[in-house]
Amino acid sequence: MSKKKMSTKAKVQLLVFLIVYVAIGLWNAKLMTASPSEALKNIANRWIVQFGPGNAWYYQINPMTVIMSFIVILIIIAFAKSVHKEFSLIPGRKQAFAESLMDFIYDIVESSVPNEKYARTVFKIAMTLFIYIAVSNLIGGFIPGISADVSIAENGLRTVKFTIFNDTWFPPTGDLNTNLTYAVMVFIVSQYFGIKTKGIKGWLKSFLEPVAFMLPMNIVGELAKPLSHAMRLFGNVTGGGILVLVISYLVKYMFLPPILWGYFGIFSGLIQAFVFSTLAIAYMASSIEA
Amino acid sequence: MDFSVELANAIAIAGKAIGAGLAMGIGAIGPGIGEGNVGAHAMDAIARQPELTNVITTRMILADAIAETTGIYSLVIAFLILFAL
């Protein structure tokens, strides 16, 4: 066993963490409903704001997703600015972190994209996706924040109730619209790369690949890519959140949640961000011809 | 409330619960087998070439996540049955 003593700074940090943890636990014990079914009743409802006549989808927005997206964007910009300010040949801690992260993704891009001309473009798209999804999964994974509880009345009227520190922040990736946007964007970019490298004739021909008989299979296979791409992320983030909420009720919201947040928020969130960007690289690389 | 209406509601709730349970339970078989295969072969590969551990682990996690997809679909369907139907 090592005899190394904890520094005063580490002790203070640990103490602050424990105090915040116990305070949030007590706060949640006060807010807790009698039965889990009461808490789970409104879990599938979203806060929707309408700014036009009728019930059409193009008049509706999801304010929670929009607000949280901007918060994630601001966090990333703030970090990038702070790294940029101390940019030097001998990297500091932040710069070393950013550089090793980019190097890690760039290695994957370089090994999978056959044409070197497109490596940088693919890298920029994949890296942006990775950073955005990782940050949004992390703030939705384990940082307590404001949550909106929406109940729908009999006549379809939605009432929103906000509670503080009751749940984690709402992650933008927990909304299927966000994920589908990125997945469809990756799909369009990959088809564009396919047309550009193979020519429009070669691109159309690639759908008849082994035999012409396989045409419907190839089309369905291409269209299934963005769907599964988006659904994977959405299911993981939402499923993790609901699982944490359900299991929290078994232990009365005191001891287990940090461990669960550690798994579903940090580990699973980072893995899903990595998987999303790696699959984006793979989809784009598969349509680029050397 | 009329007894028959009550009975109908009870049957609907029972159907939801059974359906969601079956969807999740049966849907988890495939990903379980798939991820087991991926993990077993990754272990084989690491035992044969320990110097490639990092590369193999990265690829293994990626393959795991892809094998998991159908399980996630059944999770989404189970949520739909429970909360949206």
Side-chain angles (χ1 to χ4, degrees), chain A residues 40 43-44 228 231-232 235-236 239 242 271-272 274-275 278-279, chain B residues 58-59 61-62 65-69 72-73 75-76 79 83-84:
Chain A
L40 291 175
I43 206 159
S228 74
M231 279 290 187
R232 181 177 298 118
N236 268 295
I242 293 176
I271 292 237
Q272 287 311 315
F274 173 63
V275 164
T278 316
L279 280 177
Chain B
T58 323
R59 299 285 153 88
I61 287 170
L62 185 67
I66 292 168
E68 207 179 60
T69 310
I72 297 294
Y73 288 166
L75 183 69
V76 172
F79 283 152
F83 299 124

Side-chain angles (χ1 to χ4, degrees), chain A:
Chain A
M1 227 177 98
S2 69
K3 283 259 169 132
K4 207 174 152 195
K5 277 200 176 160
M6 271 168 93
S7 66
T8 322
K9 201 180 161 197
K11 270 182 192 165
V12 170
Q13 279 173 353
L14 196 63
L15 199 68
V16 168
F17 171 76
L18 281 175
I19 290 170
V20 168
Y21 172 43
V22 171
I24 289 176
L26 289 175
W27 173 251
N28 274 299
K30 195 173 83 70
L31 286 175
M32 203 166 60
T33 50
S35 72
S37 66
E38 210 170 313
L40 291 175
K41 203 174 52 190
N42 296 328
I43 206 159
N45 301 340
R46 292 272 192 266
W47 178 23
I48 291 172
V49 167
Q50 225 148 55
F51 56 94
N55 222 353
W57 56 269
Y58 43 80
Y59 284 135
Q60 298 176 338
I61 56 167
N62 242 342
M64 211 66 185
T65 311
V66 177
I67 295 166
M68 292 316 293
S69 301
F70 275 105
I71 290 178
V72 169
I73 291 166
L74 287 181
I75 290 173
I76 295 169
I77 288 176
F79 179 76
K81 281 222 166 214
S82 77
V83 171
H84 182 72
K85 208 160 51 183
E86 51 190 51
F87 226 51
S88 63
L89 198 60
I90 301 156
R93 274 174 71 181
K94 280 179 192 166
Q95 195 188 337
F97 170 70
E99 277 180 2
S100 60
L101 191 67
M102 303 222 167
D103 206 43
F104 176 62
I105 302 279
Y106 194 74
D107 279 346
I108 299 172
V109 172
E110 219 173 20
S111 66
S112 54
V113 174
N115 192 341
E116 250 179 49
K117 221 171 75 187
Y118 296 97
R120 286 191 82 85
T121 322
V122 171
F123 167 70
K124 280 170 195 163
I125 295 170
M127 195 69 225
T128 314
L129 285 174
F130 177 78
I131 295 174
Y132 181 83
I133 293 168
V135 172
S136 88
N137 280 356
L138 285 183
I139 67 163
F142 70 106
I143 299 176
I146 299 166
S147 61
D149 188 42
V150 182
S151 54
I152 302 178
E154 289 285 317
N155 53 6
L157 210 66
R158 286 162 190 265
T159 47
V160 191
K161 203 182 89 199
F162 295 101
T163 38
I164 299 179
F165 297 148
N166 164 35
D167 201 356
T168 53
W169 292 104
F170 178 77
T173 45
D175 186 347
L176 189 55
N177 299 310
T178 317
N179 305 340
L180 261 180
T181 310
Y182 298 143
V184 169
M185 183 197 77
V186 167
F187 174 72
I188 290 171
V189 169
S190 72
Q191 297 307 320
Y192 171 74
F193 280 155
I195 293 173
K196 205 172 177 195
T197 50
K198 293 173 197 160
I200 195 132
K201 235 179 190 174
W203 178 68
L204 287 174
K205 220 178 197 176
S206 72
F207 283 102
L208 309 170
E209 245 331 291
V211 277
F213 174 67
M214 293 294 276
L215 174 69
M217 284 292 192
N218 281 330
I219 290 174
V220 170
E222 282 297 312
L223 289 179
K225 274 178 186 175
L227 190 70
S228 74
H229 204 184
M231 279 290 187
R232 181 177 298 118
L233 186 58
F234 168 73
N236 268 295
V237 175
T238 315
I242 293 176
L243 269 181
V244 171
L245 193 61
V246 170
I247 299 173
S248 298
Y249 267 92
L250 302 178
V251 292
K252 300 296 177 201
Y253 224 109
M254 203 59 197
F255 293 105
L256 209 49
I259 300 163
L260 292 171
W261 286 346
Y263 177 73
F264 286 105
I266 301 172
F267 180 72
S268 179
L270 285 178
I271 292 237
Q272 287 311 315
F274 173 63
V275 164
F276 195 92
S277 57
T278 316
L279 280 177
I281 294 168
Y283 289 158
M284 283 186 277
S286 71
S287 61
I288 293 173
E289 201 153 272

Side-chain angles (χ1 to χ4, degrees), chain B:
Chain B
M1 201 193 280
D2 194 7
F3 175 72
S4 59
V5 176
E6 215 170 301
L7 191 66
N9 281 340
I11 290 174
I13 291 171
K16 270 189 199 176
I18 293 171
L22 282 180
M24 199 55 243
I26 298 174
I29 296 174
I33 295 172
E35 289 188 17
N37 262 331
V38 171
H41 288 109
M43 289 301 141
D44 276 356
I46 290 175
R48 200 166 296 164
Q49 276 172 311
E51 69 273 12
L52 284 181
T53 307
N54 284 335
V55 179
I56 292 169
T57 313
T58 323
R59 299 285 153 88
M60 184 191 82
I61 287 170
L62 185 67
D64 267 353
I66 292 168
E68 207 179 60
T69 310
T70 48
I72 297 294
Y73 288 166
S74 59
L75 183 69
V76 172
I77 295 296
F79 283 152
L80 280 178
I81 292 171
L82 282 179
F83 299 124
L85 206 68

